[in-house]
Amino acid sequence: PMLVVLIVAVVVHGCVAGLIYSRHKRLDHYAFSSQDGREYYSIARNLAQHGRFSQSSAAPLEPDTWRTPGYPALLAGIMVVGRTDAPVLPLLIQQLLSVANVLLLTWMVQAYAGPRRGLVAGLLFLIEPYHHYYSWWLMATTLFVTVLRKAVNASCDISPEAIANSRWRILPAPQT
């Protein structure tokens, strides 16, 4: 089921990208739909170009204390490695994270409720519209969901015996 979910997720995300491009003639149309996205990107650009965590558009680059550094640091890393500050590359990477979120959810549900339910959960999440919509905005939502899902999935890697005997259990023991 994971391979099926992966293939369907890549096809669906590709279709959404094609739809955005056909309607707006560019993939970054929704990138700055939020003030948050513009602020994250400004900080990322300053990190990549000047090594400063700042939203300022000109010197002196005043430090920013409003935003957390995780997402701007990811964006800055993409800018440096990709050698561009165009928003398309981070958006495409967010699409990969979005596909990973579908797979992580599928895997988690499979571990606790079986392969069929995992497949259904993954495919249902895949067609949920906000998942796609926000993954085309330059906001921390997609990255946050990926980190959260990975943390929850890491708790699934603990043996069923440890989970059953644990005082800190947050999920029921997986089906065997």
Side-chain angles (χ1 to χ4, degrees):
M2 292 298 280
L3 183 58
V4 171
V5 173
L6 173 63
I7 291 168
V8 173
V10 168
V11 167
V12 169
H13 278 80
C15 288
V16 170
L19 180 65
I20 290 170
Y21 188 80
S22 70
R23 289 191 61 154
H24 305 289
K25 302 301 179 220
R26 54 187 245 240
L27 287 175
D28 63 356
H29 177 76
Y30 297 108
F32 301 107
S33 295
S34 158
Q35 179 65 28
D36 290 348
R38 288 186 287 278
E39 291 174 1
Y40 282 131
Y41 213 69
S42 178
I43 292 169
R45 186 178 292 128
N46 282 332
L47 273 173
Q49 295 174 355
H50 308 290
R52 294 289 179 101
F53 193 84
S54 173
Q55 288 185 46
S56 302
S57 57
L61 299 177
E62 297 295 326
D64 186 278
T65 59
W66 180 248
R67 297 279 169 208
T68 56
Y71 188 63
L74 173 70
L75 292 176
I78 293 168
M79 288 175 186
V80 169
V81 171
R83 297 182 182 189
T84 180
D85 67 354
V88 173
L89 186 57
L91 289 171
L92 293 175
I93 290 172
Q94 279 192 184
Q95 297 317 298
L96 295 176
L97 290 174
S98 192
V99 168
N101 287 336
V102 174
L103 295 173
L104 288 167
L105 176 71
T106 302
W107 183 86
M108 183 183 71
V109 174
Q110 282 180 354
Y112 286 93
R116 186 174 175 174
R117 289 181 178 143
L119 177 65
V120 170
L123 294 176
L124 285 174
F125 180 67
L126 181 59
I127 63 171
E128 192 271 322
Y130 287 107
H131 153 151
H132 294 283
Y133 184 60
Y134 287 118
S135 70
W136 288 98
W137 289 30
L138 284 174
M139 290 187 47
T141 308
T142 303
L143 177 63
F144 173 77
V145 169
T146 306
V147 171
L148 180 64
R149 282 229 165 87
K150 186 57 189 156
V152 170
N153 285 8
S155 73
C156 295
D157 287 339
I158 300 170
S159 72
E161 297 81 23
I163 291 174
N165 296 325
S166 176
R167 292 183 207 169
W168 54 266
R169 176 180 48 198
I170 59 170
L171 294 173
Q175 291 183 343
T176 53

